[in-house]
Amino acid sequence: MKTFLKTSLLTLAAALCCLTATAQPKVIAHRGYWKAPNSAQNSLASWIKADSIGCYGSEFDVWLTADDQLIVNHDRLYRGIYMTQSKAETICNLKLSNGETIPTLEAYLQLAKKHPNTRLILELKSHNDPARENLAAEKVAALLQAHGLLERTDIIAFSLNACLAFRKLLPQTHIQYLNGDLTPQEVHKLGLDGIDYSFKTLQKHPEWIKEAHELGLKVNVWTVNKEENLRKCIEWKVDYITTDEPELLQKLLL
Ligand code: MG
C-alpha cells in the first residue's frame, strides 16, 4: 500500500511538473482589440474583434456617470466631457474614432453574451469619492448577475477601495489589484485573487511572480506591446499578458 501511495504521489508530482512546464500565459486584449480595422478602444467592435481572433479575455474600462449609469470608456475626460460629472445621455452621444458612440455597460454585456468565448476583464476606474466607487461596484455586481455573466468575468481596479468593495459583494469572483504598490503577501492577506501589475513593476520585482504563485495568486502584466518584452513575460511564466498586440502575442505563443 505504501509503495502504491508513493508511486501515485510521484506520478502526480511528475504530472504537475509537466503541466507547469507547458502552461503558457493567456492573451488579454487591452481595451479590446482596438488596433484591428474599424475598431476603437473600448468600442463594441473591439470586443467582437478580440473574440474573433480567440483572445482568452478582453479588457474594458467602466465609469459611473453623474446620474448613476455605468458606461464603458477609458478616459476620465473625453472630448471635453468628464465621465463622472456628466449624464449618461451626454456621454453616450460622444463618438469614438471608429464612428461608434460610447457604449453603456448594459450594451457591452448584451454583446458579450452573444460572443461567449472571451472572458470579460472588467476594470472599474478610480472615482474620486469612495462612496461613488462603492455604488459603482454594487451596480456592476448587480448587472453582471442579472446577465448571468459573473462566472465569465474577472474584476480589476487600481483602487484598493474598489477591489475590497467587490470582494465583499462577490466572494466567488476573481479580483486582481492593479496599482503595483502591494506585495503578493499583502494582496493575499486582503483576500484578493491576484496581482495585475505593470511590466515595469514586475521588472523591478520579478520575485513577486514566484511569491504570488506560491500563495495561490494569479499574475497578470500590463500593457506589454514590444516583442522583446512579451518574450520576457512568457519566460517569467505569468498567467496573463494584457496587450495592445494580441495577434503578435498569439504568434509568439505558437
Ligand atoms: Mg483599463
Side-chain angles (χ1 to χ4, degrees), residues 118-153:
T118 304
R119 214 166 160 76
L120 292 90
I121 315 297
L122 187 156
E123 177 182 348
L124 182 67
K125 301 308 288 181
S126 301
H127 294 59
N128 293 334
D129 177 356
R132 297 294 295 162
E133 224 167 59
N134 295 344
L135 180 62
E138 276 172 36
K139 285 183 165 280
V140 166
L143 204 57
L144 288 171
Q145 197 142 29
H147 284 287
L149 284 168
L150 273 176
E151 283 178 10
R152 268 181 70 198
T153 304

Side-chain angles (χ1 to χ4, degrees), residues 78-91:
Y78 183 76
R79 297 186 189 261
I81 300 291
Y82 283 99
M83 297 298 117
T84 55
Q85 292 165 27
S86 315
K87 288 189 174 177
E89 196 188 346
T90 309
I91 294 168

Side-chain angles (χ1 to χ4, degrees), residues 54-239:
C55 288
Y56 166 83
S58 190
E59 188 260 1
F60 55 98
D61 304 290
V62 174
W63 292 101
L64 183 69
T65 64
D67 56 342
D68 298 347
Q69 304 299 306
L70 296 166
I71 58 97
V72 178
N73 189 49
H74 176 267
D75 299 349
R76 182 182 294 272
L77 175 66
Y78 183 76
R79 297 186 189 261
I81 300 291
Y82 283 99
M83 297 298 117
T84 55
Q85 292 165 27
S86 315
K87 288 189 174 177
E89 196 188 346
T90 309
I91 294 168
C92 294
N93 269 323
L94 298 172
K95 283 252 160 81
L96 299 171
S97 62
N98 68 343
E100 280 183 41
T101 49
I102 290 184
T104 59
L105 181 59
E106 169 71 28
Y108 212 84
L109 298 185
Q110 290 283 4
L111 181 77
K113 275 158 81 172
K114 290 186 205 142
H115 300 267
N117 298 319
T118 304
R119 214 166 160 76
L120 292 90
I121 315 297
L122 187 156
E123 177 182 348
L124 182 67
K125 301 308 288 181
S126 301
H127 294 59
N128 293 334
D129 177 356
R132 297 294 295 162
E133 224 167 59
N134 295 344
L135 180 62
E138 276 172 36
K139 285 183 165 280
V140 166
L143 204 57
L144 288 171
Q145 197 142 29
H147 284 287
L149 284 168
L150 273 176
E151 283 178 10
R152 268 181 70 198
T153 304
D154 298 329
I155 304 268
I156 57 174
F158 281 92
S159 158
L160 191 55
N161 174 69
C163 287
L164 296 177
F166 277 116
R167 177 74 303 150
K168 272 192 210 151
L169 292 160
L170 304 170
Q172 307 299 323
T173 300
H174 192 90
I175 300 166
Q176 297 202 197
Y177 179 60
L178 288 163
N179 207 35
D181 58 334
L182 296 178
T183 64
Q185 189 78 43
E186 289 166 325
V187 168
H188 183 250
K189 265 194 192 154
L190 289 165
L192 303 177
D193 303 291
I195 55 172
D196 187 346
Y197 287 173
S198 71
F199 181 75
K200 266 191 183 170
T201 302
L202 291 186
Q203 246 183 338
K204 228 188 273 173
H205 293 287
E207 76 281 4
W208 282 0
I209 298 162
K210 191 165 174 264
E211 278 175 41
H213 284 156
E214 282 171 0
L215 290 161
L217 298 177
K218 296 286 185 193
V219 179
N220 191 344
V221 54
W222 55 268
T223 298
V224 192
N225 298 326
K226 280 189 194 160
E227 183 170 332
E228 56 177 303
N229 295 346
L230 288 167
R231 287 190 190 279
K232 188 86 210 161
C233 294
I234 296 168
E235 250 173 58
W236 281 339
K237 295 190 165 56
V238 297
D239 302 286

